[in-house]
Amino acid sequence: MKKTLEVMGMVCPFPLVEAKEAIKELHTGDELEVQFDCTQGTESIPRWAVEDGHEVTAYDQIGEAAWTITIKKK
Amino acid sequence: MFQMIVTGLLCGALLGFVMQRGRFCLTGGFRDMYLTKDNRMFYALLIAIAVQSIGVYVLISLGVFEFTAGTLPILAVIIGSFIFGIGIIFAGGCATGTWYRAGEGLIGSWIALAGYMLVAAMMKSGVLLPLDKAVKNVELRSNSIAGSFGLNPWVVISVFTVIVGFLVYRTLRKPTVKIPGLPPKRTGLAHLLFEKRWHPFFTAILIGLIAISAWPLSAATGRIAGLGITTPSANILQYFVTGEMSFINWGVFLVLGILFGSLFAAKMSGEFRFRLPDLKTTINSFSGGLMMGFGAGLAGGCSIGNGLVMTAMMTWQGWIALAFMILGTWTASYFVYVRPRRKNKQATHAVPA
């Protein structure tokens, strides 16, 4: 299962806070795609993901100041 | 005047560039010490302080300029810094952070900046000046840490540098997981400057070096001070409404430079876009800006003026301000991030399934 979390327009640290909440609802192996435009999130979201033991399966810049990251729950 | 414009803009642009690329966010750093028990950005700040301290005291020893710590307006520093700390959580960035995020195109930061400049100017020459003066009247004689103990400043700097060295060694020795990065789309210098993620400690060394260079560059134009954000930000507004040239100084071009440097960095890395906040964020940004202006005005400095510069000068003002600023961010973080979540959880538990 894959869930998409769209947090464009949210400022740091809310994209990360929302992602942490959203992943709680998922089961192991499910994926969470986060779309965000907060620059600081490019550092904080992948850091949180791997430090919590999840796997980052996709990460890319999709436009001017817009990013997408997919995290597979551990 | 020409020299002031060129060196001020240049120094500011370098700072804005480095902060944008290095994601150097003190607000986030202070907040995460509490929220996620992550001290990395705080240690990065300590590195920048140590680098600057050594550099500036070498320049002072060489007689490039003179520095006296002056008196310590203890009450103003404590109250002001605490309010400033609360303000930067609401504004989503400290004074410098707000200047460089304005350069990334965040309209919320423009709004915070407006509130910040307004109240800072009110404190410096407006209706709040009597209040500012009254609180600052409560002062202690000695502001220099070395002076209070009758020590040579180099003793204090050496002890501090050893502590920072130990913290850095301990942090770097820890095994780390590899943080996934964005797929590189560029090579060579363009990759290093506009794409690669910078280690916060590397960014901190660069910021320390820029902070050293600010002293002689600024002193050469008659302003004997290092990096400063609050007074120059207020000066811009004071100049606009009075037309008095006396408000124009090196610091004014420094803060404008931060905006241009960050704008350039963001544009070149595909990270610039005008972004409009929602209503709640807008209100938070503006009220945060007002608190920042009041707090920094009262404390005589923001996270840069007090937190990075006065700390490096080894003054009580700098370190007391830093401590209370951090306490302010923790207090606000509790009300903004921690408590609403607890309430949510309680609310969901209260409803029978």
Side-chain angles (χ1 to χ4, degrees):
Chain A
M1 200 193 92
K2 186 169 173 175
K3 187 180 165 183
T4 305
L5 178 70
E6 204 261 342
V7 282
M8 292 279 186
M10 264 193 206
V11 289
C12 138
F14 285 106
L16 177 61
V17 173
E18 293 287 326
K20 280 183 180 175
E21 286 294 308
I23 208 151
K24 280 184 195 158
E25 320 273 309
L26 299 182
H27 299 289
T28 302
D30 286 351
E31 286 186 314
L32 176 71
E33 183 187 351
V34 188
Q35 294 169 357
F36 61 99
D37 64 0
C38 153
T39 319
Q40 286 68 37
T42 59
E43 166 80 22
S44 62
I45 297 176
R47 171 175 291 277
W48 152 74
V50 292
E51 282 182 351
D52 267 23
H54 309 298
E55 189 192 340
V56 173
T57 51
Y59 185 20
D60 209 357
Q61 181 159 5
I62 44 179
E64 294 285 313
W67 295 271
T68 174
I69 186 167
T70 306
I71 300 155
K72 194 175 182 182
K73 187 170 179 173
K74 70 163 172 185
Chain B
M1 186 71 189
F2 179 70
Q3 185 191 0
M4 186 191 284
I5 298 174
V6 172
T7 63
L9 281 178
L10 208 64
C11 190
L14 267 175
L15 186 64
F17 186 94
V18 167
M19 287 188 146
Q20 201 279 339
R21 295 312 305 147
R23 313 272 188 257
F24 200 83
C25 176
L26 291 175
T27 309
F30 297 156
R31 177 194 68 214
D32 290 343
M33 290 168 82
Y34 166 59
L35 287 188
T36 56
K37 308 281 173 282
D38 178 359
N39 288 341
R40 274 180 336 131
M41 197 50 89
F42 178 64
Y43 293 162
L45 172 65
L46 295 184
I47 294 173
I49 293 171
V51 169
Q52 184 191 188
S53 195
I54 296 168
V56 173
Y57 272 95
V58 166
L59 291 177
I60 293 172
S61 306
L62 294 174
V64 180
F65 51 87
E66 278 178 32
F67 174 80
T68 38
T71 53
L72 170 64
I74 181 85
L75 198 59
V77 169
I78 290 177
I79 299 173
S81 299
F82 187 74
I83 294 175
F84 178 80
I86 297 174
I88 61 180
I89 290 292
F90 280 93
C94 67
T96 331
T98 303
W99 272 104
Y100 90 70
R101 282 199 185 69
E104 288 180 344
L106 267 76
I107 304 296
S109 295
W110 284 94
I111 294 169
L113 208 51
Y116 169 63
M117 287 165 88
L118 173 68
V119 182
M122 285 161 73
M123 296 288 282
K124 304 238 174 248
S125 61
V127 288
L128 294 176
L129 183 65
L131 173 71
D132 184 61
K133 273 192 172 159
V135 184
K136 279 187 176 136
N137 242 335
V138 184
E139 55 179 18
L140 299 178
R141 267 248 208 82
S142 178
N143 195 4
S144 154
I145 296 176
S148 298
F149 294 114
L151 294 167
N152 184 306
W154 283 108
V155 176
V156 180
I157 296 169
S158 308
V159 171
F160 175 66
T161 308
V162 169
I163 297 172
V164 175
F166 169 74
L167 290 171
V168 169
Y169 170 76
R170 218 184 52 176
T171 310
L172 293 180
R173 221 188 42 171
K174 270 188 210 157
T176 48
V177 279
K178 198 183 171 307
I179 310 295
L182 288 159
K185 290 171 183 159
R186 302 186 214 193
T187 52
L189 195 62
H191 170 70
L192 293 177
L193 286 179
F194 303 117
E195 205 171 51
K196 195 182 181 318
R197 59 175 288 275
W198 296 6
H199 194 285
F201 292 177
F202 169 74
T203 308
I205 293 172
L206 293 184
I207 289 176
L209 295 175
I210 295 169
I212 297 171
S213 77
W215 280 91
L217 291 177
S218 178
T221 68
R223 174 187 174 273
I224 303 179
L227 294 177
I229 312 295
T230 307
T231 306
S233 300
N235 288 157
I236 293 177
L237 189 61
Q238 289 167 311
Y239 170 69
F240 281 160
V241 297
T242 62
E244 287 273 349
M245 276 306 285
S246 60
F247 287 118
I248 298 294
N249 57 65
W250 191 84
V252 166
F253 296 101
L254 173 83
V255 292
L256 293 175
I258 295 174
L259 180 80
F260 295 133
S262 156
L263 175 69
F264 175 71
K267 268 276 178 206
M268 294 299 288
S269 353
E271 292 176 354
F272 176 86
R273 188 157 50 84
F274 280 117
R275 279 160 277 183
L276 202 62
D278 60 15
L279 183 64
K280 190 167 169 261
T281 311
T282 308
I283 293 169
N284 279 348
S285 296
F286 189 66
S287 48
L290 296 177
M291 285 188 268
M292 273 162 65
F294 184 82
L298 197 59
C302 61
S303 41
I304 296 295
N306 271 339
L308 174 66
V309 179
M310 286 307 267
T311 47
M313 303 317 289
M314 295 300 160
T315 60
W316 292 114
Q317 176 177 335
W319 290 100
I320 293 172
L322 184 60
F324 279 90
M325 195 180 299
I326 292 175
L327 279 178
T329 61
W330 292 357
T331 308
S333 293
Y334 172 77
F335 287 103
V336 175
Y337 308 116
V338 178
R339 211 170 75 127
R341 268 164 210 283
R342 281 200 192 146
K343 271 194 166 166
N344 265 344
K345 269 185 200 153
Q346 279 167 0
T348 30
H349 285 305
V351 180

